[in-house]
Amino acid sequence: MSAEQRIIIEMGMGTDLHGGDVTKAALRAVDNAMRRSSLPVFGAIDMEHTDMRVQVTLGTHDPAAVDTARIAAHMPRGRVTVTATEGGLQLEDGIVVVTAAVEAFLPVQTGKWRLSEP
């Protein structure tokens, strides 16, 4: 594997207020993080989205209950890895809170940046 540099990290939070579904809350947390992100860098360095590695880390009270394959399939770009770890919250009445960190990595781009034309 070549050297990589992280180009973005976004945090998000998602909930399921009625069913206690940690995968549903995790999808909402990932969506919450991605809504604040845009990656116009690909046009500036002539790189395909498939060259990007995406690491999703989810904090939940029940990591084993997260359908990580479903979360990975939900991601719009990149080669995705999803990890669920202890964290988040479980409250009464089936309320769950999941946190997400979505990180994107590219191979080191030293000397590859170019200015866009006006």
Side-chain angles (χ1 to χ4, degrees), residues 8-13 27-37 100-102:
I8 194 167
I9 182 169
E10 289 289 348
M11 308 300 175
M13 182 200 71
L27 286 166
R28 290 175 175 171
V30 167
D31 285 345
N32 180 249
M34 290 192 312
R35 281 191 182 100
R36 293 186 300 276
S37 300
V102 179

Side-chain angles (χ1 to χ4, degrees), residues 46-63:
D46 292 324
M47 183 173 277
E48 297 295 322
H49 292 272
T50 55
D51 293 329
M52 177 176 60
R53 181 175 65 86
V54 177
Q55 173 63 50
V56 178
T57 305
L58 303 166
T60 173
H61 75 285
D62 188 2

Side-chain angles (χ1 to χ4, degrees), residues 9-107:
I9 182 169
E10 289 289 348
M11 308 300 175
M13 182 200 71
T15 62
D16 182 9
L17 298 176
H18 302 289
D21 186 330
V22 293
T23 298
K24 181 190 242 182
L27 286 166
R28 290 175 175 171
V30 167
D31 285 345
N32 180 249
M34 290 192 312
R35 281 191 182 100
R36 293 186 300 276
S37 300
S38 178
L39 295 172
V41 67
F42 292 98
I45 57 177
D46 292 324
M47 183 173 277
E48 297 295 322
H49 292 272
T50 55
D51 293 329
M52 177 176 60
R53 181 175 65 86
V54 177
Q55 173 63 50
V56 178
T57 305
L58 303 166
T60 173
H61 75 285
D62 188 2
V66 177
D67 184 345
T68 56
R70 185 171 167 202
I71 304 298
H74 181 71
M75 301 303 290
R77 291 179 171 57
R79 299 178 328 274
V80 182
T81 303
V82 179
T83 304
T85 187
E86 288 286 332
L89 292 171
Q90 178 183 27
L91 304 172
E92 294 179 22
D93 301 325
I95 298 171
V96 295
V97 180
V98 175
T99 56
V102 179
E103 300 172 89
F105 298 86
L106 287 177

Side-chain angles (χ1 to χ4, degrees), residues 44 112-118:
K112 295 183 182 177
W113 296 95
R114 63 177 171 78
L115 296 175
S116 60
E117 297 297 320

